[in-house]
């Protein structure tokens, strides 16, 4: 017997599960299909983000940050604690517990909101029908007035360098090492490569990161990436730019990597574990029947308009499987917007104010355009920067490094971008997203009272600095 729903969501990552819950809140009859199986082999909701992405990586980053503080900076506070050790299985076990708690939480939320959950693989057929292939091989066809495709993304493989899950790994493998690799190689100095490189470096791995591009963190404002590169170098992350990996072979318990550097010289590197983190691609394989009516773009993403409508009326697509930044919160916002549009309400996502965060030490966060992007577009700007070195709270935390940079239009003073590197900037960026959403000027930020002593004073001072009137530094 086939079932019919108001809304059927394929994928229960942060895009899909949020869409399902919001649609159910709006009184719609909703089902969500997800195929992910957790480490225990049981269905686990939450997608890449909760299971093998945002959350587990942050759990390991936090554990190793604590360890690193104990071994490196506790002594500055006068604290000594004998010879510290790290028990990797305990650290990974703590991470798994957090993942289980959160994925189980989504199942509870589905129940509370009466979202019907199907554990299996969904395939969009014609006529807004979806075939579900359950994990035991059984199939069922269900239909809906609206289908939301939220299939997420998968890691890109470099041709000839297949993941083996043990020595050459993707994010899944790098989150689950049972011991600290002595030599850890990373291909790709993007967000995932830097975060996972930091985790294992803090526990003592020799980390080498090979990046094809000549510029470091090219998506960041140059003032920010320069500070970050300096700090990473101090930590011992060996980041080699302009290096293209040509081959990697597992040889016994090692991986032998061949790469060419920026001037074309060939090099060899031997590591114990190799993470390939060269980006992710939309996961549309097997998602669409030939006659589904939904089209893909040239990058293999599901083609959508600004409201996440696909080429087929009543079929929507959100999250990593469509254009825009591959970030959990961007997908969740799209999920809410689509659910509200389906329910006849207004819904929209402003891709220009999606914040970015890299959770290394120091953290990096930004919203809006970089100074270079604005200058290249011929937009006149004024900027104000303020260092955490002059912020009392940062000194008290022993993390007085990095800066905040506010970029405003030179004539209208509207804030066009805010870029930060330093302590807890993942939290500080929220204020700037609000400011940009409300079309604030740098003068608005400068006239808002910020608590003392807090890290947020750096945002305040940087905004004052746009008009050359920062108080705690010479302008
Ligand atoms: P996903 O989370 O990928 O979920 C898609 C779900 O759909 C999966 O469960 C998948 O199994 C299921 N699925 C796919 N096809 C089908 C099908 N045909 N039938 C049934 N089920 C299907 N983003 C951040 O914002 N902050 C971070 O700190 C961050 N850290 C990250 C760290 C790592 C190591 C990685 C890998 C990613 C990180 N990301 C981070 C990115 C973030 O995880 C993704 O942007 C986010 O998960 C995308 O959400 P989604 O719902 O679109 O897709
Ligand atoms: P992200 O998209 O943030 O995950 O970053 C992926 C990074 O990998 C980018 O900085 C790319 O330039 C880099 N990259 C892509 N392909 C290669 C390659 N073959 N060798 C080294 N780096 C690469």
């Amino acid at each position: 017997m086939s079932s019919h729903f108001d809304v059927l969501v394929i994928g229960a990552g942060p895009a899909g599960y949020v869409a399902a819950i919001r649609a159910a809140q709006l009184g719609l009859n909703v089902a969500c299909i997800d195929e992910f199986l957790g480490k225990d082999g049981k269905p686990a909701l939450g997608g890449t983000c909760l299971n093998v992405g945002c959350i587990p990586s942050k759990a390991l980053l936090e554990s190793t940050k604590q360890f690193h503080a104990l071994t490196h900076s506790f002594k500055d506070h006068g604290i000594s604690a004998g010879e510290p050790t790290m028990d990797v299985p305990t650290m990974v076990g703590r991470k798994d517990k957090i993942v289980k708690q959160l994925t189980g939480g989504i199942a509870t939320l589905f129940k509370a909101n009466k979202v019907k959950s199907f554990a299996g693989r969904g395939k969009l057929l014609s006529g807004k029908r979806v075939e579900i292939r359950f994990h035991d091989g059984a199939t069922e066809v269900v239909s809906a007035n609206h289908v939301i495709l939220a299939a997420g993304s998968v890691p890109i493989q470099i041709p000839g360098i297949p993941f083996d899950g043990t020595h050459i790994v993707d994010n899944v493998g790098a989150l689950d090492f049972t011991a600290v690799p002595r030599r850890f190689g990373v291909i790709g100095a993007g967000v995932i490569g830097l975060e996972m490189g930091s985790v294992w470096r803090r526990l003592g791995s020799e980390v080498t990161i090979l990046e094809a591009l000549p510029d470091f963190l090219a998506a960041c404002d140059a003032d920010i990436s320069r500070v970050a590169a300096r700090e990473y170098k101090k930590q011992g992350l060996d980041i080699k730019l302009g290096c293209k990996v040509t081959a990697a072979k597992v040889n016994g318990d090692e991986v032998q990597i061949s790469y060419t550097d920026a001037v074309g010289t060939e090099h060899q590197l031997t590591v114990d574990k190799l993470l390939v983190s060269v980006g992710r691609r939309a996961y549309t394989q097997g998602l669409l029947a030939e006659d589904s009516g939904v089209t893909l773009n040239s990058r293999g993403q599901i083609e959508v308009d600004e409201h996440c409508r696909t080429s087929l009326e009543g079929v929507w697509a959100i999250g990593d499987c469509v254009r825009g930044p591959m970030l959990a919160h961007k997908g969740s916002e799209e999920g809410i917007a689509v659910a509200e549009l389906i329910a006849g309400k207004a819904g929209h996502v402003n891709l220009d104010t999606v914040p970015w965060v890299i959770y290394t030490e120091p953290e990096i966060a930004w919203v809006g355009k970089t100074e270079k992007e604005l200058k290249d577009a011929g937009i006149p700007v004024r900027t104000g920067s303020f260092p955490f070195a002059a912020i009392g709270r940062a000194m008290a935390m022993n993390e007085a490094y990095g800066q905040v940079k506010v970029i405003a239009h030179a004539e209208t003073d509207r804030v066009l971008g805010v870029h930060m590197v330093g302590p807890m900037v993942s939290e500080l960026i929220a204020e700037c997203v609000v400011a940009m959403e409300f079309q604030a000027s740098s003068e608005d930020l400068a006239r808002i009272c910020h608590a003392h002593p807090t890290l947020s004073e750096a945002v305040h001072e940087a905004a004052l600095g746009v008009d050359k009137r920062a108080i705690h530094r010479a302008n």
Side-chain angles (χ1 to χ4, degrees):
M1 201 186 83
S2 83
S3 315
H4 185 81
F5 298 91
D6 294 329
V7 178
L8 194 52
V9 185
I10 302 183
Y17 85 71
V18 169
I21 290 173
R22 184 68 189 122
Q25 283 176 349
L26 291 164
L28 298 164
N29 175 24
V30 184
C32 184
I33 307 165
D34 192 276
E35 67 175 345
F36 199 94
L37 296 175
K39 274 174 87 172
D40 57 5
K42 296 192 179 135
L45 302 173
T48 302
C49 169
L50 263 51
N51 287 288
V52 289
C54 321
I55 296 297
S57 58
K58 264 80 265 177
L60 297 190
L61 280 160
E62 188 56 36
S63 296
T64 55
K65 181 181 169 176
Q66 305 267 5
F67 182 76
H68 194 260
L70 181 59
T71 49
H72 287 75
S73 61
F74 270 31
K75 64 178 184 316
D76 300 342
H77 296 271
I79 303 169
S80 55
E83 189 61 36
T85 57
M86 171 57 98
D87 181 60
V88 173
T90 302
M91 174 183 81
V92 171
R94 188 190 86 100
K95 177 264 291 180
D96 290 341
K97 217 165 128 192
I98 296 168
V99 168
K100 205 153 178 53
Q101 197 174 335
L102 288 171
T103 57
I106 307 300
T108 307
L109 287 172
F110 271 10
K111 277 199 194 99
N113 285 283
K114 300 194 173 49
V115 173
K116 170 109 181 107
S117 191
F118 290 108
R121 185 160 177 72
K123 182 182 200 172
L124 181 69
L125 310 175
S126 62
K128 286 182 273 181
R129 290 171 310 126
V130 172
E131 179 198 79
I132 307 169
R133 181 169 294 275
F134 296 100
H135 293 296
D136 64 4
T139 59
E140 180 181 345
V141 174
V142 295
S143 58
N145 298 337
H146 293 270
V147 177
I148 304 176
L149 304 172
S153 61
V154 286
I156 293 174
Q157 289 210 27
I158 301 178
I161 309 182
F163 301 121
D164 70 358
T166 308
H167 296 95
I168 303 180
V169 298
D170 59 8
N171 55 299
V172 180
L175 289 163
D176 265 343
F177 293 155
T178 49
V180 180
R182 188 167 70 77
R183 298 158 302 180
F184 182 41
V186 178
I187 311 181
V191 179
I192 295 170
L194 289 169
E195 289 187 357
M196 296 318 300
S198 295
V199 162
W200 297 106
R201 174 68 202 138
R202 289 172 193 168
L203 299 185
S205 293
E206 285 166 25
V207 178
T208 309
I209 305 183
L210 302 168
E211 165 59 48
L213 293 178
D215 295 322
F216 179 59
L217 277 180
C220 271
D221 191 272
D223 288 344
I224 302 303
S225 50
R226 201 175 309 121
V227 173
R230 196 177 60 217
E231 294 296 330
Y232 295 151
K233 194 169 175 192
K234 276 194 222 158
Q235 292 160 18
L237 282 178
D238 183 8
I239 302 170
K240 296 185 190 299
L241 301 175
C243 290
K244 289 198 183 68
V245 174
T246 49
K249 267 201 306 270
V250 178
N251 190 358
D253 233 7
E254 297 180 333
V255 186
Q256 283 165 352
I257 306 163
S258 310
Y259 67 94
T260 50
D261 66 16
V263 292
T265 309
E266 285 192 18
H267 299 266
Q268 306 291 320
L269 174 70
T270 303
V271 296
D272 303 297
K273 300 276 185 190
L274 175 65
L275 166 66
V276 180
S277 52
V278 294
R280 299 177 62 86
R281 61 177 171 80
Y283 182 41
T284 53
Q285 210 178 343
L287 177 68
L288 308 168
E290 295 241 321
D291 60 350
S292 74
V294 171
T295 52
L296 302 181
N297 66 19
S298 57
R299 299 185 56 196
Q301 300 159 325
I302 299 169
E303 183 79 26
V304 288
D305 68 8
E306 72 277 20
H307 288 118
C308 297
R309 284 183 289 238
T310 69
S311 49
L312 188 67
E313 206 261 310
V315 178
W316 312 71
I318 57 178
D320 276 14
C321 64
V322 303
R323 85 287 172 265
M326 285 187 166
L327 294 168
H329 42 283
K330 172 265 192 184
S332 297
E333 288 306 310
E334 287 178 334
I336 290 174
V338 164
E340 295 189 343
L341 288 168
I342 289 172
K345 294 178 166 290
H348 106 123
V349 177
N350 182 1
L351 291 182
D352 291 335
T353 52
V354 174
W356 288 78
V357 179
I358 307 178
Y359 297 81
T360 48
E361 281 288 299
E363 291 185 347
I364 297 173
W366 74 93
V367 57
K369 300 269 188 279
T370 64
E371 187 172 353
K372 181 171 186 311
E373 282 170 337
L374 291 163
K375 286 196 168 149
D376 288 350
I379 297 169
V381 296
R382 291 196 306 166
T383 67
S385 295
F386 197 81
F388 284 103
I391 294 290
R393 184 72 189 281
M395 288 182 210
M397 292 167 65
N398 216 18
E399 295 186 40
Y401 47 74
Q403 59 169 296
V404 174
K405 174 174 175 179
V406 173
I407 310 174
H409 194 288
E411 286 141 24
T412 66
D413 194 36
R414 184 168 165 181
V415 177
L416 301 175
V418 185
H419 303 266
M420 310 177 176
V421 54
M424 298 305 287
V425 296
S426 54
E427 300 292 338
L428 296 185
I429 199 67
E431 171 187 7
C432 305
V433 178
V434 173
M436 285 188 64
E437 272 295 334
F438 280 76
Q439 306 190 359
S441 60
S442 77
E443 184 69 20
D444 289 325
L445 271 178
R447 284 183 181 275
I448 289 169
C449 183
H450 289 71
H452 174 75
T454 62
L455 299 173
S456 72
E457 288 172 294
V459 177
H460 189 214
E461 290 272 14
L464 284 162
V466 173
D467 191 40
K468 306 229 176 315
R469 56 181 216 268
I471 299 296
H472 294 93
R473 74 177 296 190
N475 288 287

